[in-house]
Amino acid sequence: MADLRERQLAMARQTIVDACAQLVTERRHLDFAMKDVAERAGVSLRTVYNHFPAREDLLDAMGRDFDRQLAERGGPEASDLQPRDDLGGAVRTNFGLFEELNGVSEAFAQMPLAEIGRNVDRQKRTRLIVDHLVTQMPSAPHEEAHDIAVMLRHLLSHRSWFWLTREYGLTTEAAADVVTWAMTTLIDAAERGDGPN
């Protein structure tokens, strides 16, 4: 019986998170009331607050849901980001997954950086990706390689996908091609000693 109750609670929680993502995607901003989320989810306001005592808790859950769904679908790991060899494959995989997760990706892309920055797992993954990308530029001075790696990490992100596809109208394939080109160009420039500094 307890197992059934846990599944019901998990389903209610997921329904609320999905409703929040739908609202943010439709409105294109994070200005929503918890009452709006309750109505969209088809649950009482009390149920929403039982699962998410504060709006920030709901936004945090939406971010964690985005990360979980990416991982379940096989999003690339830091070690998959090899320059020139399969960098394009990693970008295409990521951008394809962002497109597949559409509403959740769009909602997450619109979250303030302060909300995203609270996620310790995301911070750790970002550091791993940046550190790995730095190793891909052994000829560049370490500080420059780090700065370039931060830019590469940004290019690979859901925010780049969002702006290129939703704001500027590129197809996901065209956005992946442009980002792959930009990343390869930056790595090549760093290796030639033609970095930003």
Side-chain angles (χ1 to χ4, degrees):
M1 190 67 158
D3 200 31
L4 174 61
R5 180 71 180 138
E6 285 178 26
R7 284 197 313 269
Q8 289 172 330
L9 288 171
M11 285 176 50
R13 184 178 174 85
Q14 187 63 51
T15 300
I16 294 165
V17 170
D18 292 344
C20 181
Q22 290 168 4
L23 282 172
V24 171
T25 300
E26 286 171 13
R27 295 178 179 183
R28 304 288 298 251
H29 56 74
L30 291 173
D31 187 20
F32 64 85
M34 296 294 257
K35 179 176 143 283
D36 299 333
V37 175
E39 288 174 7
R40 175 62 62 98
V43 299
S44 70
L45 185 57
R46 182 178 179 173
T47 299
V48 172
Y49 279 112
N50 282 342
H51 288 280
F52 305 103
R55 193 172 181 278
E56 292 74 25
D57 297 322
L58 179 53
L59 291 173
D60 186 51
M62 191 170 64
R64 290 183 190 283
D65 186 54
F66 174 76
D67 289 340
R68 178 189 57 78
Q69 289 190 51
L70 271 181
E72 285 175 358
R73 287 170 169 79
E77 297 294 324
S79 59
D80 296 331
L81 304 175
Q82 303 298 331
R84 296 169 208 82
D85 299 339
D86 196 31
L87 184 61
V91 173
R92 272 185 278 291
T93 297
N94 249 16
F95 280 26
L97 291 173
F98 298 154
E99 189 68 42
E100 186 180 317
L101 294 173
N102 190 9
V104 176
S105 297
E106 286 189 34
F108 189 59
Q110 296 174 70
M111 286 178 63
L113 292 174
E115 292 297 328
I116 294 171
R118 292 183 338 158
N119 184 324
V120 176
D121 293 336
R122 178 167 281 282
Q123 291 172 0
K124 182 179 175 184
R125 189 169 63 247
T126 293
R127 278 193 303 276
L128 284 172
I129 291 171
V130 168
D131 290 347
H132 178 73
L133 289 168
V134 166
T135 68
Q136 302 302 310
M137 298 175 273
S139 304
H142 183 76
E143 251 181 63
E144 263 189 28
H146 178 269
D147 294 349
I148 292 168
V150 168
M151 183 65 205
L152 295 173
R153 168 65 181 109
H154 175 71
L155 287 170
L156 188 61
S157 75
H158 65 286
R159 288 185 187 270
S160 291
W161 164 83
F162 176 80
W163 284 100
L164 291 171
T165 61
R166 300 312 191 254
E167 295 296 320
Y168 300 125
L170 294 180
T171 65
T172 297
E173 295 78 21
D177 289 343
V178 167
V179 166
T180 300
W181 172 82
M183 291 177 81
T184 303
T185 300
L186 287 170
I187 292 169
D188 288 345
E191 283 297 288
R192 285 192 315 269
D194 188 18
N197 300 328

